[in-house]
Coordinates of all heavy atoms in Angstrom, one line a residue:
K133 N 14.6 0.3 6.6 CA 14.8 0.2 8.1 C 14.2 -1.1 8.6 O 14.7 -1.7 9.5 CB 14.0 1.3 8.8 CG 14.6 2.7 8.5 CD 13.8 3.7 9.2 CE 14.2 5.1 8.8 NZ 13.4 6.1 9.4
S134 N 13.1 -1.5 8.0 CA 12.4 -2.7 8.4 C 11.7 -3.4 7.2 O 11.8 -2.9 6.1 CB 11.4 -2.5 9.5 OG 10.3 -1.8 9.0
D135 N 11.0 -4.4 7.4 CA 10.3 -5.1 6.4 C 8.9 -4.6 6.2 O 8.1 -5.1 5.4 CB 10.2 -6.6 6.7 CG 11.6 -7.3 6.5 OD1 12.4 -6.8 5.7 OD2 11.8 -8.3 7.2
R136 N 8.5 -3.5 7.0 CA 7.2 -2.9 6.9 C 7.3 -1.4 6.6 O 8.3 -0.8 7.0 CB 6.4 -3.1 8.2 CG 6.1 -4.5 8.5 CD 5.3 -4.5 9.8 NE 5.2 -5.9 10.2 CZ 4.0 -6.5 10.5 NH1 3.0 -5.7 10.6 NH2 3.9 -7.7 10.8
A137 N 6.3 -0.9 5.8 CA 6.3 0.5 5.5 C 4.8 1.0 5.5 O 4.0 0.3 5.0 CB 6.9 0.8 4.2
I138 N 4.6 2.1 6.2 CA 3.3 2.7 6.1 C 3.2 3.8 5.1 O 4.2 4.6 5.1 CB 2.9 3.3 7.5 CG1 2.8 2.1 8.6 CG2 1.6 4.1 7.5 CD1 1.6 1.2 8.4
I139 N 2.2 3.8 4.3 CA 2.0 4.9 3.3 C 0.9 5.8 3.9 O -0.1 5.2 4.4 CB 1.5 4.3 2.0 CG1 2.4 3.3 1.4 CG2 1.2 5.5 1.0 CD1 1.8 2.5 0.3
G140 N 1.1 7.1 4.0 CA 0.1 7.9 4.5 C 0.4 9.4 4.5 O 1.4 9.8 4.1
R141 N -0.6 10.2 5.0 CA -0.5 11.6 5.0 C 0.2 12.1 6.3 O 0.7 13.2 6.4 CB -2.0 12.2 5.0 CG -2.0 13.7 4.8 CD -3.4 14.2 4.8 NE -4.0 14.2 6.1 CZ -5.1 13.6 6.5 NH1 -5.8 12.9 5.6 NH2 -5.5 13.6 7.7
D142 N 0.3 11.2 7.3 CA 1.1 11.6 8.5 C 2.5 11.8 8.1 O 3.1 10.9 7.5 CB 0.9 10.4 9.5 CG 1.5 10.8 10.9 OD1 2.6 11.4 10.9 OD2 0.9 10.4 11.9
P143 N 3.1 12.9 8.5 CA 4.5 13.2 8.1 C 5.5 12.1 8.6 O 6.6 12.0 8.1 CB 4.8 14.5 8.7 CG 3.5 15.2 8.8 CD 2.5 14.1 9.1
T144 N 5.1 11.3 9.6 CA 6.0 10.3 10.2 C 5.9 9.0 9.4 O 6.6 8.0 9.7 CB 5.7 10.0 11.7 OG1 4.4 9.5 11.8 CG2 5.9 11.3 12.5
S145 N 5.0 8.9 8.4 CA 4.9 7.7 7.6 C 6.2 7.4 6.8 O 7.0 8.3 6.5 CB 3.8 7.9 6.5 OG 2.5 8.2 7.1
D146 N 6.4 6.1 6.6 CA 7.6 5.7 5.8 C 7.5 6.3 4.4 O 8.6 6.6 3.8 CB 7.7 4.2 5.8 CG 7.7 3.7 7.2 OD1 8.7 3.9 7.9 OD2 6.8 3.0 7.7
I147 N 6.3 6.3 3.8 CA 6.1 6.8 2.5 C 5.1 7.9 2.7 O 3.9 7.6 2.8 CB 5.7 5.8 1.5 CG1 6.7 4.7 1.3 CG2 5.4 6.4 0.1 CD1 6.3 3.5 0.5
W148 N 5.5 9.2 2.7 CA 4.6 10.3 3.0 C 4.0 10.8 1.7 O 4.7 11.1 0.7 CB 5.4 11.4 3.7 CG 4.6 12.6 4.0 CD1 3.5 12.7 4.7 CD2 5.0 13.9 3.7 NE1 3.0 14.0 4.8 CE2 3.9 14.8 4.2 CE3 6.0 14.5 3.0 CZ2 4.0 16.2 4.0 CZ3 6.0 15.9 2.9 CH2 5.0 16.7 3.4
V149 N 2.6 10.9 1.7 CA 1.9 11.5 0.6 C 1.1 12.7 1.1 O 0.2 12.5 1.9 CB 1.0 10.4 0.0 CG1 0.2 11.0 -1.2 CG2 1.7 9.2 -0.4
A150 N 1.5 13.9 0.7 CA 0.8 15.1 1.2 C -0.4 15.5 0.3 O -0.3 16.4 -0.5 CB 1.8 16.3 1.2
A151 N -1.5 14.7 0.5 CA -2.7 15.0 -0.2 C -3.9 14.8 0.8 O -3.9 13.8 1.5 CB -2.8 14.0 -1.4
S152 N -4.8 15.7 0.7 CA -5.9 15.7 1.7 C -6.8 14.5 1.7 O -7.3 14.1 2.7 CB -6.8 17.0 1.5 OG -7.4 17.0 0.3
H153 N -6.9 13.8 0.6 CA -7.7 12.6 0.5 C -7.0 11.3 0.9 O -7.6 10.3 1.0 CB -8.3 12.4 -0.9 CG -7.3 12.0 -1.9 ND1 -6.4 13.0 -2.5 CD2 -7.0 10.8 -2.4 CE1 -5.7 12.3 -3.3 NE2 -6.0 11.0 -3.3
I154 N -5.7 11.4 1.2 CA -5.0 10.3 1.7 C -5.1 10.2 3.2 O -5.0 11.2 3.9 CB -3.5 10.4 1.3 CG1 -3.3 10.4 -0.2 CG2 -2.6 9.3 1.9 CD1 -3.7 9.2 -0.9
S155 N -5.4 9.0 3.7 CA -5.6 8.8 5.1 C -4.3 9.0 5.8 O -3.2 8.8 5.2 CB -6.2 7.4 5.4 OG -7.4 7.3 4.9
R156 N -4.3 9.3 7.1 CA -3.0 9.4 7.8 C -2.2 8.2 7.8 O -1.0 8.2 7.6 CB -3.3 9.8 9.3 CG -3.9 11.3 9.4 CD -4.1 11.7 10.8 NE -2.9 11.9 11.6 CZ -2.0 12.9 11.4 NH1 -2.2 13.8 10.5 NH2 -1.0 12.9 12.2
S157 N -2.9 7.0 7.9 CA -2.3 5.7 7.6 C -3.1 5.1 6.5 O -4.2 4.5 6.8 CB -2.3 4.8 8.9 OG -1.4 5.4 9.9
H158 N -2.7 5.2 5.3 CA -3.5 4.8 4.2 C -3.4 3.3 3.8 O -4.3 2.6 3.6 CB -3.1 5.6 2.9 CG -4.1 5.6 1.9 ND1 -5.2 6.5 1.8 CD2 -4.2 4.7 0.8 CE1 -5.9 6.2 0.7 NE2 -5.3 5.1 0.1
A159 N -2.1 2.8 3.9 CA -1.9 1.4 3.6 C -0.6 0.9 4.2 O 0.3 1.8 4.5 CB -1.8 1.1 2.0
E160 N -0.5 -0.4 4.4 CA 0.8 -0.9 4.9 C 1.3 -1.9 3.9 O 0.6 -2.7 3.3 CB 0.5 -1.7 6.2 CG 1.8 -2.3 6.8 CD 1.5 -3.1 8.0 OE1 0.7 -4.0 8.0 OE2 2.2 -2.8 9.0
L161 N 2.6 -1.8 3.6 CA 3.4 -2.8 2.8 C 4.3 -3.6 3.7 O 4.9 -3.0 4.6 CB 4.2 -2.1 1.8 CG 3.5 -1.1 0.8 CD1 4.5 -0.4 -0.1 CD2 2.5 -1.8 0.0
E162 N 4.3 -4.9 3.5 CA 5.2 -5.7 4.3 C 5.9 -6.7 3.4 O 5.2 -7.4 2.6 CB 4.4 -6.5 5.3 CG 5.3 -7.4 6.2 CD 4.5 -8.3 7.2 OE1 3.3 -8.3 7.1 OE2 5.2 -8.9 8.0
R163 N 7.2 -6.7 3.4 CA 8.0 -7.7 2.6 C 8.0 -9.0 3.4 O 8.4 -9.1 4.6 CB 9.4 -7.2 2.4 CG 10.2 -8.1 1.5 CD 11.6 -7.6 1.3 NE 12.2 -7.2 2.6 CZ 13.3 -6.4 2.7 NH1 13.8 -6.0 1.7 NH2 13.7 -6.1 3.9
L164 N 7.6 -10.1 2.7 CA 7.6 -11.4 3.3 C 8.9 -12.2 3.0 O 9.6 -11.8 2.1 CB 6.4 -12.2 2.8 CG 5.0 -11.5 3.1 CD1 3.9 -12.3 2.5 CD2 4.8 -11.2 4.6
T165 N 9.1 -13.2 3.8 CA 10.4 -14.0 3.6 C 10.6 -14.6 2.2 O 11.7 -14.8 1.8 CB 10.5 -15.1 4.7 OG1 9.4 -16.0 4.6 CG2 10.5 -14.5 6.1
D166 N 9.5 -14.8 1.5 CA 9.6 -15.4 0.1 C 9.8 -14.3 -0.9 O 9.9 -14.6 -2.1 CB 8.4 -16.3 -0.2 CG 7.1 -15.5 -0.3 OD1 7.1 -14.3 -0.1 OD2 6.1 -16.2 -0.6
G167 N 9.9 -13.1 -0.5 CA 10.1 -12.0 -1.4 C 8.8 -11.3 -1.9 O 8.9 -10.3 -2.6
S168 N 7.7 -11.8 -1.6 CA 6.4 -11.2 -2.0 C 6.1 -10.0 -1.1 O 6.8 -9.9 0.0 CB 5.3 -12.2 -2.0 OG 5.1 -12.8 -0.7
I169 N 5.1 -9.3 -1.4 CA 4.7 -8.1 -0.7 C 3.3 -8.2 -0.2 O 2.4 -8.5 -1.1 CB 4.9 -6.8 -1.5 CG1 6.3 -6.6 -2.0 CG2 4.4 -5.6 -0.7 CD1 7.4 -6.3 -0.9
R170 N 3.1 -8.1 1.1 CA 1.7 -8.1 1.6 C 1.2 -6.6 1.6 O 1.9 -5.8 2.2 CB 1.6 -8.7 3.0 CG 0.2 -8.6 3.6 CD 0.2 -9.1 5.0 NE 0.4 -10.5 5.0 CZ 1.2 -11.2 5.8 NH1 1.8 -10.6 6.8 NH2 1.3 -12.5 5.7
V171 N 0.1 -6.3 1.0 CA -0.5 -5.0 1.1 C -1.8 -5.0 1.9 O -2.7 -5.9 1.6 CB -0.8 -4.5 -0.4 CG1 -1.5 -3.1 -0.3 CG2 0.4 -4.5 -1.2
T172 N -1.9 -4.1 2.8 CA -3.1 -4.0 3.7 C -3.7 -2.6 3.6 O -3.0 -1.7 3.9 CB -2.8 -4.4 5.1 OG1 -2.2 -5.6 5.2 CG2 -4.1 -4.4 6.0
D173 N -4.9 -2.5 3.1 CA -5.6 -1.2 3.0 C -6.0 -0.7 4.4 O -6.7 -1.5 5.1 CB -6.8 -1.2 2.1 CG -7.5 0.1 2.0 OD1 -6.9 1.1 1.8 OD2 -8.7 0.1 2.3
L174 N -5.7 0.5 4.8 CA -6.0 1.0 6.1 C -6.9 2.3 6.0 O -7.2 2.9 6.9 CB -4.8 1.3 6.9 CG -3.8 0.2 7.1 CD1 -2.5 0.7 7.8 CD2 -4.4 -0.9 7.9
S175 N -7.2 2.6 4.7 CA -7.8 3.9 4.4 C -9.3 4.0 4.5 O -10.0 3.0 4.6 CB -7.4 4.3 3.0 OG -8.1 3.5 2.1
S176 N -9.7 5.3 4.5 CA -11.2 5.6 4.5 C -11.6 5.7 3.0 O -12.7 5.3 2.7 CB -11.5 6.9 5.2 OG -11.1 6.9 6.5
N177 N -10.8 6.2 2.1 CA -11.1 6.5 0.8 C -10.8 5.4 -0.2 O -11.1 5.4 -1.4 CB -10.5 7.8 0.3 CG -11.1 9.0 1.0 OD1 -12.3 9.0 1.3 ND2 -10.3 10.0 1.2
G178 N -10.0 4.4 0.2 CA -9.8 3.2 -0.6 C -8.4 3.2 -1.3 O -7.8 4.2 -1.5
T179 N -8.0 2.0 -1.5 CA -6.8 1.7 -2.2 C -7.2 0.7 -3.3 O -8.0 -0.2 -3.0 CB -5.7 1.0 -1.3 OG1 -5.4 2.0 -0.3 CG2 -4.4 0.7 -2.1
Y180 N -6.8 0.8 -4.5 CA -7.2 0.0 -5.6 C -6.1 -0.7 -6.3 O -5.0 -0.2 -6.4 CB -7.9 0.9 -6.7 CG -9.2 1.5 -6.2 CD1 -9.1 2.7 -5.4 CD2 -10.4 1.0 -6.4 CE1 -10.3 3.3 -4.9 CE2 -11.6 1.6 -6.0 CZ -11.5 2.7 -5.2 OH -12.6 3.3 -4.7
L181 N -6.4 -1.9 -6.8 CA -5.4 -2.7 -7.6 C -6.2 -3.2 -8.8 O -7.3 -3.9 -8.6 CB -4.8 -3.8 -6.8 CG -3.9 -4.8 -7.5 CD1 -2.6 -4.0 -7.9 CD2 -3.6 -6.0 -6.7
D182 N -5.7 -3.0 -10.0 CA -6.4 -3.4 -11.2 C -7.9 -2.9 -11.3 O -8.8 -3.6 -11.7 CB -6.4 -4.9 -11.4 CG -4.9 -5.4 -11.6 OD1 -4.1 -4.7 -12.2 OD2 -4.7 -6.5 -11.2
G183 N -8.1 -1.7 -10.8 CA -9.5 -1.1 -10.8 C -10.4 -1.6 -9.7 O -11.6 -1.2 -9.6
K184 N -10.0 -2.5 -8.9 CA -10.8 -3.1 -7.8 C -10.4 -2.6 -6.5 O -9.2 -2.6 -6.1 CB -10.8 -4.6 -7.8 CG -11.3 -5.2 -9.1 CD -11.1 -6.7 -9.1 CE -11.5 -7.2 -10.5 NZ -11.1 -8.6 -10.7
R185 N -11.4 -2.1 -5.7 CA -11.0 -1.6 -4.4 C -10.7 -2.8 -3.4 O -11.4 -3.8 -3.4 CB -12.2 -0.8 -3.8 CG -11.9 -0.2 -2.5 CD -13.0 0.7 -2.0 NE -12.7 1.3 -0.7 CZ -13.3 2.4 -0.2 NH1 -14.3 2.9 -0.9 NH2 -12.9 2.8 0.9
L186 N -9.6 -2.6 -2.7 CA -9.2 -3.6 -1.7 C -10.1 -3.5 -0.5 O -10.6 -2.4 -0.2 CB -7.7 -3.3 -1.3 CG -6.7 -3.3 -2.4 CD1 -5.3 -3.1 -1.7 CD2 -6.7 -4.6 -3.2
V187 N -10.4 -4.6 0.1 CA -11.2 -4.7 1.3 C -10.4 -4.1 2.5 O -9.3 -4.5 2.7 CB -11.7 -6.1 1.6 CG1 -12.5 -6.1 2.9 CG2 -12.5 -6.6 0.4
R188 N -11.0 -3.1 3.2 CA -10.3 -2.5 4.3 C -9.9 -3.5 5.3 O -10.6 -4.4 5.7 CB -11.2 -1.4 4.9 CG -10.4 -0.5 5.9 CD -11.3 0.7 6.2 NE -10.5 1.7 6.8 CZ -10.3 1.8 8.1 NH1 -10.9 1.0 9.0 NH2 -9.6 2.8 8.6
E189 N -8.6 -3.4 5.7 CA -8.0 -4.2 6.7 C -7.8 -5.7 6.4 O -7.4 -6.5 7.2 CB -8.7 -4.1 8.1 CG -8.6 -2.7 8.6 CD -9.2 -2.5 10.0 OE1 -9.6 -3.5 10.6 OE2 -9.3 -1.4 10.4
E190 N -8.1 -6.0 5.1 CA -7.7 -7.4 4.6 C -6.5 -7.2 3.7 O -6.3 -6.2 3.0 CB -8.9 -8.0 3.8 CG -10.0 -8.4 4.7 CD -11.1 -9.2 4.0 OE1 -10.8 -9.7 2.8 OE2 -12.2 -9.3 4.5
S191 N -5.7 -8.3 3.7 CA -4.4 -8.2 3.0 C -4.5 -8.9 1.6 O -5.3 -9.9 1.5 CB -3.3 -8.9 3.8 OG -3.1 -8.2 5.0
I192 N -3.7 -8.5 0.7 CA -3.5 -9.2 -0.5 C -2.0 -9.4 -0.7 O -1.2 -8.6 -0.1 CB -4.0 -8.4 -1.8 CG1 -3.3 -7.1 -1.9 CG2 -5.5 -8.3 -1.7 CD1 -3.5 -6.5 -3.3
I193 N -1.6 -10.4 -1.5 CA -0.2 -10.7 -1.7 C 0.2 -10.3 -3.1 O -0.5 -10.8 -4.0 CB 0.2 -12.1 -1.4 CG1 -0.3 -12.5 0.1 CG2 1.6 -12.4 -1.6 CD1 0.4 -11.8 1.2
L194 N 1.3 -9.6 -3.3 CA 1.8 -9.2 -4.6 C 3.0 -10.0 -4.9 O 3.9 -10.1 -4.0 CB 2.1 -7.7 -4.7 CG 1.0 -6.8 -4.4 CD1 1.4 -5.3 -4.6 CD2 -0.3 -7.0 -5.3
R195 N 3.2 -10.6 -6.1 CA 4.3 -11.4 -6.4 C 4.9 -11.1 -7.8 O 4.1 -10.9 -8.7 CB 4.0 -12.9 -6.4 CG 3.7 -13.5 -5.0 CD 3.4 -15.0 -5.1 NE 3.2 -15.5 -3.8 CZ 2.1 -15.5 -3.1 NH1 1.0 -15.1 -3.6 NH2 2.0 -16.1 -1.9
D196 N 6.2 -11.2 -7.9 CA 6.9 -11.3 -9.2 C 6.8 -10.1 -10.2 O 7.8 -9.9 -10.8 CB 6.5 -12.6 -9.9 CG 6.8 -13.8 -9.1 OD1 7.8 -13.8 -8.4 OD2 6.1 -14.8 -9.2
T197 N 5.7 -9.5 -10.5 CA 5.7 -8.5 -11.5 C 5.3 -7.2 -11.0 O 4.7 -7.0 -9.9 CB 4.6 -8.9 -12.6 OG1 3.3 -9.0 -12.0 CG2 5.0 -10.2 -13.2
L198 N 5.6 -6.1 -11.8 CA 5.2 -4.8 -11.4 C 3.7 -4.7 -11.1 O 2.9 -5.2 -11.9 CB 5.6 -3.8 -12.5 CG 5.1 -2.4 -12.4 CD1 5.8 -1.7 -11.2 CD2 5.4 -1.6 -13.7
Q199 N 3.3 -4.1 -10.0 CA 1.9 -3.9 -9.7 C 1.8 -2.4 -9.4 O 2.6 -1.8 -8.7 CB 1.5 -4.7 -8.5 CG 1.7 -6.2 -8.6 CD 0.6 -6.8 -9.5 OE1 -0.5 -6.4 -9.4 NE2 1.0 -7.7 -10.3
I200 N 0.7 -1.8 -9.8 CA 0.4 -0.4 -9.6 C -0.8 -0.3 -8.6 O -1.9 -0.8 -8.9 CB 0.0 0.3 -10.9 CG1 1.2 0.1 -11.9 CG2 -0.2 1.8 -10.6 CD1 2.5 0.7 -11.5
L201 N -0.5 0.3 -7.4 CA -1.6 0.6 -6.5 C -2.1 2.0 -6.7 O -1.3 2.9 -6.9 CB -1.0 0.5 -5.0 CG -0.5 -0.9 -4.6 CD1 0.1 -0.8 -3.2 CD2 -1.7 -1.9 -4.5
D202 N -3.4 2.1 -6.8 CA -4.0 3.4 -7.0 C -4.5 3.9 -5.6 O -5.4 3.2 -5.0 CB -5.2 3.3 -8.0 CG -5.9 4.6 -8.2 OD1 -5.6 5.6 -7.6 OD2 -6.7 4.6 -9.1
L203 N -4.0 5.0 -5.1 CA -4.3 5.5 -3.8 C -5.5 6.5 -3.9 O -5.9 7.1 -2.9 CB -3.1 6.2 -3.1 CG -1.9 5.3 -3.0 CD1 -0.8 6.1 -2.3 CD2 -2.2 4.0 -2.2
N204 N -6.0 6.7 -5.1 CA -7.2 7.5 -5.4 C -6.7 8.9 -6.0 O -5.7 9.4 -5.7 CB -8.0 7.8 -4.2 CG -9.4 7.2 -4.3 OD1 -9.9 7.1 -5.4 ND2 -9.9 6.8 -3.2
S205 N -7.6 9.4 -6.8 CA -7.4 10.8 -7.4 C -6.0 11.0 -8.1 O -5.4 12.0 -7.9 CB -7.6 11.9 -6.3 OG -8.9 11.8 -5.8
G206 N -5.6 10.0 -8.8 CA -4.4 10.1 -9.6 C -3.1 9.9 -8.9 O -2.0 10.0 -9.5
I207 N -3.1 9.5 -7.7 CA -1.9 9.1 -6.9 C -1.7 7.6 -7.0 O -2.5 6.9 -6.5 CB -2.0 9.6 -5.5 CG1 -2.1 11.2 -5.5 CG2 -0.7 9.2 -4.7 CD1 -2.2 11.8 -4.1
T208 N -0.6 7.2 -7.6 CA -0.3 5.8 -7.8 C 1.0 5.5 -7.2 O 1.9 6.3 -7.1 CB -0.4 5.4 -9.3 OG1 0.6 6.1 -10.0 CG2 -1.8 5.5 -9.8
L209 N 1.2 4.2 -6.9 CA 2.5 3.7 -6.3 C 2.8 2.4 -7.0 O 2.0 1.5 -7.1 CB 2.3 3.5 -4.8 CG 3.5 2.9 -4.1 CD1 4.6 3.9 -3.9 CD2 3.1 2.3 -2.7
G210 N 4.0 2.3 -7.6 CA 4.4 1.1 -8.3 C 5.2 0.2 -7.3 O 6.1 0.7 -6.6
V211 N 4.8 -1.0 -7.3 CA 5.5 -2.0 -6.4 C 6.3 -2.9 -7.4 O 5.7 -3.6 -8.2 CB 4.5 -2.9 -5.6 CG1 5.3 -3.9 -4.7 CG2 3.7 -1.9 -4.7
C212 N 7.6 -2.8 -7.3 CA 8.5 -3.5 -8.2 C 9.2 -4.7 -7.5 O 9.5 -4.6 -6.3 CB 9.5 -2.6 -8.8 SG 8.9 -1.1 -9.6
F213 N 9.6 -5.7 -8.3 CA 10.3 -6.8 -7.8 C 11.6 -7.0 -8.6 O 11.6 -6.8 -9.8 CB 9.5 -8.1 -7.9 CG 8.2 -8.1 -7.1 CD1 7.1 -7.5 -7.6 CD2 8.2 -8.6 -5.8 CE1 5.9 -7.5 -6.8 CE2 7.1 -8.5 -5.1 CZ 5.9 -8.0 -5.6
S214 N 12.7 -7.3 -7.9 CA 13.9 -7.6 -8.6 C 14.6 -8.8 -8.0 O 14.3 -9.1 -6.8 CB 14.9 -6.4 -8.6 OG 15.3 -6.2 -7.3
K215 N 15.4 -9.6 -8.7 CA 16.0 -10.8 -8.2 C 17.5 -10.5 -8.0 O 18.1 -9.8 -8.6 CB 15.8 -11.9 -9.1 CG 14.3 -12.2 -9.3 CD 14.0 -13.6 -9.8 CE 12.5 -13.7 -10.0 NZ 11.8 -14.6 -9.5

């Protein structure tokens, strides 16, 4: 629908995750014009990349290769790129 998607427990989220430890708005993904993905953690319990917790409300940029976001307690999300 757009270049942004919210991951969260709220049923109106673009990517809905029905787990009690997931925040209503857990993280935001945004596709940038160069094809990269901006990830912003919005959660209380944390979002992790490569075992490191993302700083809440700060963005990181993902490029080119498969990246796995850990939403906590065994819930993961793969961010894939294709040309």
Side-chain angles (χ1 to χ4, degrees):
K133 296 179 191 177
S134 73
D135 289 331
R136 292 178 188 230
I138 296 292
I139 303 165
R141 192 179 74 238
D142 187 321
T144 64
S145 297
D146 301 295
I147 301 171
W148 178 53
V149 181
S152 61
H153 69 281
I154 298 295
S155 297
R156 291 183 67 73
S157 293
H158 196 90
E160 179 183 57
L161 304 176
E162 179 184 8
R163 183 179 49 195
L164 303 178
T165 56
D166 66 358
S168 61
I169 303 290
R170 175 184 293 140
V171 178
T172 306
D173 176 55
L174 306 172
S175 71
S176 299
N177 293 326
T179 301
Y180 295 80
L181 178 66
D182 296 329
K184 297 177 186 162
R185 186 173 179 163
L186 303 181
V187 177
R188 191 169 198 267
E189 297 185 7
E190 287 188 16
S191 299
I192 61 163
I193 305 296
L194 305 181
R195 291 183 174 86
D196 299 329
T197 61
L198 172 66
Q199 301 284 320
I200 305 297
L201 295 175
D202 181 352
L203 305 180
N204 245 331
S205 299
I207 297 176
T208 59
L209 175 75
V211 179
C212 305
F213 297 86
S214 65
K215 299 201 185 233

